[in-house]
Amino acid sequence: NTTKGFVSITDVADFQERWANMQLGKLAADPVMKPFADDLQRQIRDKIVNSRFNMQISWEDLAAACGGELCIASIQPDNDPEKHAAILIVDITGRQEQAQVVLKDISEQLQEKGAQRSAKEAEGQQLVIHEIPREKGQIEAGRVIQFVADDMLVICNNEAASIDVLRRIRTQERADSLVTVPAFGAVMARVSKDAGSDLPQVRWYVDPFDYAQ
């Protein structure tokens, strides 16, 4: 399996409601603390999303386009330590119009940076590919691949990984997925036991040794 870490919010709308009612959420919304909370959110967004996809996506825009789960993962294509990729998957059930707004904004941002836009067919689905000009010191140009399949919005910076995710969405294939990794299974079993009947709002997993590569 090539997934080395992920963060998943099970239901974004439910998470937002619960967060707003939590003491920490109320503190972050306080006028005195809001500038600090907003800056912290920006730093997290820049680190997790923007630095991987060469663009800016606000939490508000993502949440508006999300009709269910949202997940971002770090993967190691071909389990090669020299390769790194990131992928964002958003369940856009009932939010197709909002998702198109996000995709349009992404495309405009990337083209403003000089990215060349093209399309490619894979698994019967059109992939939109933005190739970003190399910056000084870079060996390869950056890429951002995006598509919508079966109410799933997918954004990735690796073409092969994008096609693999598309195939899995189409076939619901679970072979060689994260659930087959013993360490992941053990962690999830322990968490499920402690949680009991409660459904976790946020799940995360990191393989520290592989992720550090």
Side-chain angles (χ1 to χ4, degrees):
N1 181 267
T2 60
T3 304
K4 305 308 174 185
F6 81 90
V7 176
S8 168
I9 299 176
T10 306
D11 186 317
V12 169
D14 187 47
F15 173 80
Q16 286 181 301
E17 182 178 348
R18 289 172 182 263
W19 172 258
N21 291 320
M22 288 175 58
Q23 190 63 38
L24 189 57
K26 293 177 180 178
L27 181 63
D30 186 281
V32 175
M33 292 297 295
K34 195 172 187 306
F36 169 77
D38 288 347
D39 184 63
L40 180 61
Q41 183 184 97
R42 178 190 59 79
Q43 292 184 53
I44 294 173
R45 183 188 67 218
D46 288 349
K47 179 67 175 177
I48 295 178
V49 178
N50 300 354
S51 64
R52 288 168 166 79
F53 301 112
N54 291 285
M55 61 193 175
Q56 295 185 354
I57 310 176
S58 72
W59 166 252
E60 291 76 16
D61 288 344
L62 268 181
C66 189
E69 186 174 6
L70 181 152
C71 177
I72 186 166
S74 179
I75 58 180
Q76 192 178 72
D78 304 321
N79 282 310
D80 183 345
E82 298 299 319
K83 297 180 180 179
H84 306 279
I87 189 159
L88 174 67
I89 304 175
V90 185
D91 180 348
I92 60 170
T93 301
R95 304 288 182 89
Q96 285 80 5
E97 288 186 12
Q98 295 90 330
Q100 289 303 316
V101 171
V102 170
L103 290 173
K104 182 175 182 291
D105 181 52
I106 289 172
S107 183
E108 290 176 350
Q109 284 189 50
L110 294 174
Q111 289 183 67
E112 284 177 2
K113 294 183 177 182
Q116 295 296 312
R117 188 180 190 275
S118 62
K120 177 178 181 177
E121 289 287 328
E123 301 287 333
Q125 174 73 43
Q126 183 183 73
L127 309 181
V128 175
I129 302 171
H130 288 90
E131 188 156 353
I132 305 165
R134 287 184 298 172
E135 296 182 359
K136 187 176 180 180
Q138 285 185 320
I139 298 176
E140 296 182 355
R143 277 188 164 190
V144 176
I145 299 94
Q146 61 196 48
F147 64 87
V148 174
D150 297 347
D151 286 329
M152 293 292 179
L153 165 61
V154 178
I155 302 172
C156 187
N157 57 8
N158 181 280
E159 185 177 327
S162 299
I163 295 172
D164 184 53
V165 169
L166 173 58
R167 177 176 55 79
R168 290 172 185 270
I169 290 174
R170 292 294 197 207
T171 64
Q172 296 295 305
E173 180 184 329
R174 295 173 66 86
D176 194 33
S177 65
L178 195 56
V179 296
T180 66
V181 176
F184 176 78
V187 169
M188 290 299 106
R190 173 63 184 272
V191 171
S192 296
K193 180 180 179 181
D194 292 342
S197 61
D198 293 334
L199 180 68
Q201 297 302 305
V202 180
R203 296 179 300 147
W204 64 277
Y205 172 80
V206 175
D207 182 326
F209 299 107
D210 285 344
Y211 187 84
Q213 295 179 336

